[in-house]
Amino acid sequence: MFKLWVAIKKEFQILMYDKAGLAVMFGMPLLLVYVITIIQDSAFKIVNENKISILIVNKDKGAEGQKLVDLMKVSGLFDLSQKDSVQNIKQVMDQEDYLTGLVIASNFTEKITDKANLVSSTMMNELGLGEPNDLPKKIKLPALDFYHDPVLQENYCFSIINMVDAFLKSIEGELFINQMCEQLELTESPQQLKEAMIENRVPINRIPATTSDSDKLPNSTQHNVPAWTIFAMFFMVVSLGNNIVKERLNGSFIRLKTMPTSFSLVLGAKMLLYLAAAVAQVTLVFSSAKLTFPLLGLPELTLPSNQLGFVFMVLLSGLAAVSYAMLVGTMVRTQEQAHGFGSMSIVILAAIGGIWVPSFVMPEYMQTISLISPLNWCLEGFYILFLKGGSWAALQNVVIGLMIFIAVCLSLAFVKLKKDKII
């Protein structure tokens, strides 16, 4: 134990001497977690919480055009500004910073009323209660022109269009009821029918599909804190890889072989120290996020209920990062190669592993490719813990995959050191 302690102490002194490496290991994850979470949370709020800024140009002088505007206003989804006429709506949107705009045609009320008449008359005729009329069999309805800033994503625009379409269906349904009751000479039924339709809607409950009893919904914090902590853990390849290459080039490995100790003990000391550094990274980032995120108006970080699984996943992810760094350090020949290849490989593995963009939005072939990234396995493990209940059965495949990766990395590193006659 004394030899192991001395070896760990030596590695600790080397690590503390590398100020740039320490800054990358501990400063970078904090910066990334705060910056990415703040940016992503702001984006979520634009879509989920903030009202949609929209300019309404209502050219229709009838009741139904104004009713559409009123429905949009009452919904609370829109920050609505209304103008009766605009010569160039694109120019107004640009000058007054509107992201979206909607133009209601001048004959909107007329044509939508004609449609309600046509539908109700057709139904009355089918029931044998109506009289022949001269309404056309098909009515060309005026289009609503929806304008949007080119920077808005397509799914965001479709969401707004679908909301407006829902309001249109509500107006059409109310007109149809009124026309039917008018033709049947019913005076009390329209209001009763409308109340029956409004008060008897099918509810839709939003429920997270987790294996636990928690009703907490996923948020930007639950995604970003684990993801960017994993990225930082694997970025220790820069520090540890350079350390191994430097000792191999300056002959330290050879000198260590002459000492009355096992060389595997020296390598074990390196792994233990950097594994402790990985745990320290997680502790620093998670405790900082837990304490400060609510003060910044960000969603609170909720730790998983399976605390033992969380600790195990942290240790396994840290060991995977250390193993990969050991492999890079033994394979490359110079410190420049260790720094360049190590950092670039982690960036690539993070990109395909779902750290930057969730893997489920990737094409199917990219989702398959992402399985080769150890960061994907680590991230999936944390997602299971933080978002899906964290059962041991769900973690099984992740644990097996990471253990295989660790074994492969250490085996290849051992073979390379054996081939170089270092061990």
Side-chain angles (χ1 to χ4, degrees), residues 11 13 16 24 35 47 110 113 152 169 242 252 259 348 364 393 404:
E11 295 298 333
Q13 290 174 341
M16 294 304 294
V24 170
V35 172
V47 177
E110 176 189 349
T113 303
L152 287 183
K169 285 181 170 56
N242 280 338
S252 297
M259 296 182 180
I348 294 171
E364 187 173 350
I404 292 174

Side-chain angles (χ1 to χ4, degrees), residues 136-338:
K137 298 297 182 182
K138 185 176 181 181
I139 297 174
K140 185 177 180 181
L141 295 173
L144 300 182
D145 294 327
F146 174 70
Y147 293 83
H148 63 89
D149 193 298
V151 302
L152 287 183
Q153 295 182 350
E154 188 175 4
N155 59 348
Y156 189 75
C157 295
F158 276 126
S159 298
I160 299 174
I161 292 172
N162 288 335
M163 282 186 266
V164 175
D165 186 57
F167 297 140
L168 288 173
K169 285 181 170 56
S170 175
I171 293 173
E172 290 177 351
E174 184 176 342
L175 278 173
F176 171 70
I177 292 172
N178 291 338
Q179 293 295 334
M180 283 288 294
C181 292
E182 183 179 329
Q183 293 188 35
L184 292 171
E185 298 182 353
L186 303 174
T187 57
E188 299 294 331
S189 295
Q191 186 61 30
Q192 294 176 3
L193 285 171
K194 282 185 281 186
E195 290 177 357
M197 292 178 66
I198 293 173
E199 295 176 2
N200 295 282
R201 291 178 178 175
V202 177
I204 301 176
N205 299 322
R206 181 184 176 188
I207 303 172
T210 69
T211 55
S212 69
D213 296 329
S214 174
D215 58 354
K216 291 185 177 296
L217 295 174
N219 54 53
S220 56
T221 296
Q222 304 295 91
H223 283 275
N224 284 312
V225 173
W228 293 104
T229 304
I230 293 168
F231 179 76
M233 290 167 69
F234 273 84
F235 225 84
M236 73 170 60
V237 68
V238 174
S239 180
L240 180 53
N242 280 338
N243 184 344
I244 295 174
V245 173
K246 184 178 179 180
E247 290 191 349
R248 196 174 75 237
L249 293 177
N250 64 19
S252 297
F253 277 7
I254 303 299
R255 290 194 295 272
L256 288 170
K257 289 180 65 177
T258 64
M259 296 182 180
T261 184
S262 170
F263 190 76
S264 60
L265 184 141
V266 177
L267 295 178
K270 287 184 183 293
M271 294 187 65
L272 286 175
L273 177 67
Y274 279 88
L275 178 59
V279 174
Q281 285 178 315
V282 174
T283 304
L284 174 65
V285 174
F286 276 69
S287 59
S288 297
K290 183 73 174 176
L291 294 173
T292 63
F293 273 21
L295 301 177
L296 298 174
L298 296 173
E300 182 182 359
L301 175 65
T302 305
L303 296 177
S305 56
N306 186 355
Q307 297 182 1
L308 181 60
F310 175 60
V311 173
F312 180 74
M313 197 65 215
V314 169
L315 293 174
L316 195 62
S317 299
L319 192 56
V322 172
S323 302
Y324 181 74
M326 293 280 290
L327 176 61
V328 172
T330 56
M331 290 296 179
V332 299
R333 296 183 178 181
T334 65
Q335 289 180 272
E336 290 76 14
Q337 289 179 358

